[in-house]
Amino acid sequence: MATLFTRIVKGEIPCHKIAENEKCLAFLDIHPIRLGHTLVIPKQEINYIFDVDDQLLAELMVFAKKIALALGQAVPCKRVGVMVAGLEVPHAHIHLIPMQAISDLNFALAKPADNDALAEVAAKIRSHLSI
């Protein structure tokens, strides 16, 4: 059975897309830790981040860097935190989270976000992209 993220890649489930290329996709988390919380995934369904082959992992990280730079410009924060937990969805993914303090990297803070707020922040992030 396809993962939730694979279904997003295929367009079966809508998302607030930030950017994509032929191998990677970035979209907003609908239960963000902080507004702007973005997920970066390989389009290929691979369960665990360290099972991703080296070339794709490098491409995923470079792609995530571009998204993080745009995110940091679009959402006021001290830094964009990077986290790989790997237990929530069995599809490799990187969390990019705007943060003011290390304590902001806490899944207990996640809550459903308003669809209009997600659409607005997605547009702001995209406006700062140079992909």
Side-chain angles (χ1 to χ4, degrees):
M1 178 181 218
T3 70
L4 173 69
F5 292 168
T6 296
R7 294 182 65 209
I8 289 171
V9 168
K10 291 180 177 181
E12 296 171 5
I13 296 174
C15 71
H16 291 277
K17 188 183 301 182
I18 302 302
E20 70 179 314
N21 63 26
E22 58 185 50
K23 295 182 182 178
C24 306
L25 174 66
F27 56 94
L28 292 181
D29 192 314
I30 60 171
H31 292 93
I33 292 174
R34 295 196 64 225
L35 193 60
H37 179 169
T38 301
L39 301 171
V40 179
I41 67 169
K43 289 184 174 180
Q44 180 182 353
E45 187 174 302
I46 302 168
N47 181 7
Y48 182 50
I49 193 81
F50 295 122
D51 288 336
V52 176
D53 71 65
D54 291 351
Q55 180 65 37
L56 179 56
L57 184 59
E59 290 178 42
L60 190 67
M61 288 304 294
V62 170
F63 185 78
K65 178 182 177 181
K66 293 174 183 178
I67 303 302
L69 293 172
L71 175 57
Q73 292 178 314
V75 178
C77 60
K78 286 187 178 178
R79 296 268 170 104
V80 174
V82 179
M83 187 168 33
V84 176
L87 296 175
E88 318 89 303
V89 177
H91 189 130
H93 58 288
I94 298 167
H95 296 266
L96 301 176
I97 303 163
M99 57 185 236
Q100 299 299 334
I102 193 72
S103 58
D104 290 336
L105 299 179
N106 180 349
F107 283 104
L109 301 173
K111 59 185 176 200
D114 175 75
N115 194 55
D116 291 337
L118 289 171
E120 183 179 326
V121 76
K124 283 182 186 177
I125 298 167
R126 285 191 301 269
S127 76
H128 291 282
L129 275 175
S130 60
I131 292 179

